[in-house]
Amino acid sequence: MIQLNMGVRLRQVAALGLAAGLLLTGCGRDNAPTNTTETGKAIAGGAATGTINVWAQGGEATLLPELMKDFEAENPEVKVNVTAIPWDAAHNKYQTAIAGGTTPDLAQMGTTWMTDFSDAFDPKPAEIATSGFFPSSVKSTEVSGATLGVPWYVDTRVLYYRKDLAAKAGYPEFPTTWDGLTSMAKALKSQDGVKYPLQLPVSGADSFQGMLPFLWSNGAQFISKDNSKWTFDTPEIVDALKYYQSFFTEGLANKNPATGAGAGEAAFANGESPVMILGPSGLAQINKAGGPGFEDKYMVAPFPKKVSGTSFIGGSDLVVFKDAKNRDGAWKLAQWLSKPEIQIKWYKLSGSLPALQSAWKDPSLADDKKLAVFGEQLKDTNFPPTISTWTQVAAAADTQLEKIVKSGEDPAVAMKELQATADSIGTGK
């Protein structure tokens, strides 16, 4: 792992934890259209001038002023004011500002909120390129035929595993297929101290979203390409859920896992459940749970493949509001934050993973074996639909997943029920 001073590491934990939280809320949309046509008016040439008001959330708001000193040095006639907005109040805060015409110029926008406020965003000018970003992160900025921002940082989920225990079980390398994952889980089950090899989402808010990589990896899509019809009762989804259910019926995953803070990390560290799904914030959490030297006992791996090995993409975008008082300055700042050297500097400052693919060539990321896996996984990612009714449908899906896992409900029956519920809710079209 890259060695950082304690202050930076603590800031990384805070920032990455926020990224993981965004991921769980369902960032983006499935099968999003990419043929965007609307672009914003051109921005004026030259350096940025005037005052740029920026709203940011959580750890990002704390750290961003330090980075803004560099932007102000490059643009002597500009002043950047950063306002910190708590995540739990941000949605209402943006809603109120849009209604009252008091929006900032530039804002950090959780990708799950892009559709919520899309009417208030200024379309991206054509001269600001997004071709070098991870494709799924760019899709998170696209709403109804327009690109409404630029990606800032990204997050994804991978499988953490105890490589020491896996090697003893006969698996020096993590499996790359579904069959291999099942075989390794059974081999781990026979090891002393292992109770349930896999830690998997079971029930509660966002549990269905937490297991979506299993659906995507079987080629499943649960909404039509034009976002007009739900498609939950397909063979791809049913078969993926049967595979997922098998881990619980065969005693390879716990139907009733402990849910307290740090419980999963503790079970991973003590070997009771040595495989789990986490984002990059898990690196610091696992190291803390395991203590000094524990980071050498585990590794991370991309999702095993059936049709693909697709995982989530999450993170935050940068948006400029139509009511911005310094619209050109805001876009110039977004463009500056998209430079490879600035994305790398922001990573080193905050721990937030770069959305720009070329930034991953920097030794601080490329030479870290664990982070390099996140970079590879980010090339194969997807996200739930960013449509107004997704929250209701996802809550209904949580209920059906709990039936499948805890009550042994036939996935085919559960998905017929979910399809009926989703049809009644609609897609907002």
Side-chain angles (χ1 to χ4, degrees), residues 372-389:
V373 172
F374 283 95
E376 285 301 310
Q377 183 65 79
L378 281 163
K379 297 175 183 177
D380 188 359
T381 52
N382 204 341
F383 37 85
T386 302
I387 57 178
S388 59
T389 59

Side-chain angles (χ1 to χ4, degrees), residues 31-293:
N31 267 350
T34 58
N35 56 336
T36 54
T37 56
E38 184 181 354
T39 56
K41 67 179 182 178
I43 54 178
T49 60
T51 299
I52 303 173
N53 290 309
V54 179
W55 285 6
Q57 286 76 257
E60 285 82 346
T62 302
L63 298 172
L64 197 54
E66 185 174 342
L67 189 65
M68 290 301 93
K69 294 177 183 177
D70 295 340
F71 181 73
E72 291 172 340
E74 293 182 28
N75 299 267
E77 296 183 25
V78 79
K79 174 64 178 175
V80 180
N81 294 325
V82 179
T83 299
I85 309 295
W87 272 114
D88 58 1
H91 195 278
N92 287 340
K93 182 78 173 177
Y94 285 118
Q95 213 167 27
T96 300
I98 291 168
T102 57
T103 59
D105 300 306
L106 182 75
Q108 171 192 359
M109 191 61 51
T111 53
T112 190
W113 294 348
M114 290 297 293
T115 294
D116 293 1
F117 305 126
S118 61
D119 289 345
F121 300 151
D122 185 55
K124 180 189 72 65
E127 62 263 41
I128 298 181
T130 55
S131 58
F133 291 95
F134 287 106
S136 290
S137 70
V138 177
K139 288 181 182 179
S140 75
T141 69
E142 297 171 359
V143 181
S144 301
T147 301
L148 300 178
V150 295
W152 187 17
Y153 65 81
V154 291
D155 192 1
T156 191
R157 294 201 148 198
V158 298
L159 287 157
Y160 285 60
Y161 69 102
R162 286 285 300 273
K163 65 178 183 179
D164 55 341
L165 299 180
K168 289 180 181 178
Y171 287 83
E173 301 292 336
F174 198 83
T176 59
T177 65
W178 279 16
D179 288 344
L181 180 61
T182 299
S183 296
M184 188 187 77
K186 291 178 178 178
L188 282 169
K189 180 80 171 178
S190 67
Q191 299 298 302
D192 290 341
V194 177
K195 294 183 178 179
Y196 295 99
L198 304 182
Q199 299 187 46
L200 298 174
V202 170
S203 61
D206 295 324
S207 55
F208 186 80
Q209 294 186 157
M211 58 76 61
L212 284 179
F214 289 93
L215 304 188
W216 287 327
S217 293
N218 198 39
Q221 304 293 344
F222 44 88
I223 195 167
S224 61
K225 288 186 177 182
D226 62 357
N227 286 348
S228 65
K229 180 173 175 54
W230 298 106
T231 55
F232 285 103
D233 56 350
T234 64
E236 293 83 0
I237 290 181
V238 171
D239 289 346
L241 286 169
K242 287 180 179 178
Y243 172 73
Y244 190 80
Q245 185 183 51
S246 70
F247 291 114
F248 298 94
T249 57
E250 295 179 29
L252 303 175
N254 192 354
K255 296 179 181 180
N256 298 288
T259 57
E265 290 84 352
F268 181 88
N270 66 29
E272 291 182 1
S273 294
V275 181
M276 65 189 305
I277 303 168
L278 284 174
S281 61
L283 296 171
Q285 296 164 4
I286 292 294
N287 291 344
K288 180 179 179 181

